Amino acid sequence: MGYFPFFVDVENQNCLVVGGGVVALRKIEKLLPFNPKITVVSPKVHKEILSIENINIIKRKFDFNDLKGKSFVITATNDKALNKEIYNSCKENNIPVNTVDDKDNCSFIFPALARNKGVTVAISTSGKSPLYAKYLRKKIENLIQDSESIVDNLSKYRAKIKDEISLEENRKVAFEKLLDYSLNNENITDDLVDKIIKGLSV
């Protein structure tokens, strides 16, 4: 069974990380650019986690009351029995949970992410080969390294094209023309966009 690649807005959502070691650190580092509210619960916490600003750190053993009010949970401990118990509790309470390196006890998994400002590409092998996912990520990162200006061009005129071109098929053609100009590094101007719209308006 594959995993459907939802893109979820986690900004200001309450995330619980159970465990404070290197594995937990790697998951936290992936989340930080998306600005969730992270709480770490662990008797011992890695010094790099301690150095991260705006993270709530609770130095003690996990308590099931820690799950209250959490939007999603990451379990990164060496205690498989505890990880299983946390997974079961999250499942009963409809809380999405990721148990690191144990996809049988996950309701969601972390994809490999290729990011360049306005573009995020998620790659998943359904947990079968994280190494291959990382390989693909590096390839895609090279493809999207200049994507910011392209996204900006398409976004800048999106509303104008939707407002002034009534037929959906013609809108698609207009966006494709803008994309072609952007990919060829041609300057996108208001006059050029007006010309495209005039040729496609009905």
Side-chain angles (χ1 to χ4, degrees):
M1 181 184 67
Y3 291 81
F4 189 85
F6 279 109
F7 278 75
V8 179
D9 182 3
V10 297
E11 186 170 6
N12 294 320
Q13 297 298 306
N14 291 313
C15 168
L16 175 66
V17 178
V18 184
V22 173
V23 175
L25 172 64
R26 298 294 171 252
K27 296 298 182 183
I28 291 169
E29 288 175 334
K30 285 189 174 184
L31 288 169
L32 287 175
F34 301 94
N35 299 315
K37 294 179 179 177
I38 299 173
T39 296
V40 176
V41 175
S42 178
K44 297 181 180 180
V45 180
H46 193 283
K47 62 181 182 180
E48 288 189 39
I49 296 177
L50 291 171
S51 69
I52 299 172
E53 295 182 357
N54 300 319
I55 287 184
N56 181 29
I57 295 175
I58 303 173
K59 285 189 174 183
R60 60 162 170 75
K61 291 184 178 181
F62 167 79
D63 185 287
F64 283 93
N65 287 321
D66 293 327
L67 298 176
K68 291 181 179 178
K70 299 302 184 291
S71 301
F72 62 103
V73 174
I74 298 163
T75 306
T77 81
N78 294 322
D79 188 335
K80 291 185 177 181
L82 175 61
N83 293 345
K84 179 68 174 178
E85 289 178 4
I86 294 173
Y87 167 77
N88 288 335
S89 184
C90 287
K91 190 174 181 180
E92 289 174 4
N93 290 282
N94 296 314
I95 303 171
V97 57
N98 174 269
T99 305
V100 179
D101 293 332
D102 185 2
K103 70 185 185 71
D104 291 336
N105 289 310
C106 292
S107 60
F108 75 95
I109 61 175
F110 276 72
L113 294 178
R115 299 186 67 236
N116 183 53
K117 297 185 178 178
V119 174
T120 300
V121 179
I123 306 112
S124 171
T125 60
S126 297
K128 294 179 180 179
S129 180
L131 183 62
Y132 184 53
K134 290 178 181 178
Y135 168 82
L136 292 175
R137 182 197 67 200
K138 291 180 180 179
K139 293 286 187 182
I140 293 171
E141 282 175 342
N142 290 331
L143 288 174
I144 65 173
Q145 60 184 348
D146 298 322
S147 62
E148 183 181 12
S149 60
I150 295 173
V151 171
D152 287 345
N153 280 335
L154 296 175
S155 176
K156 181 179 179 180
Y157 295 104
R158 182 176 177 83
K160 181 179 178 69
I161 288 172
K162 291 180 71 174
D163 288 342
E164 299 191 26
I165 299 179
S166 57
L167 290 180
E168 185 174 345
E169 289 182 5
N170 287 358
R171 290 178 193 164
K172 181 181 177 181
V173 172
F175 285 124
E176 287 174 346
K177 286 181 179 292
L178 281 183
L179 177 59
D180 287 340
Y181 281 117
S182 296
L183 290 173
N184 289 314
N185 296 315
E186 297 187 37
N187 188 33
I188 307 297
T189 64
D190 292 348
D191 288 341
L192 174 61
V193 174
D194 288 339
K195 183 179 180 180
I196 293 172
I197 290 173
K198 185 177 180 181
L200 293 169
S201 296
V202 175

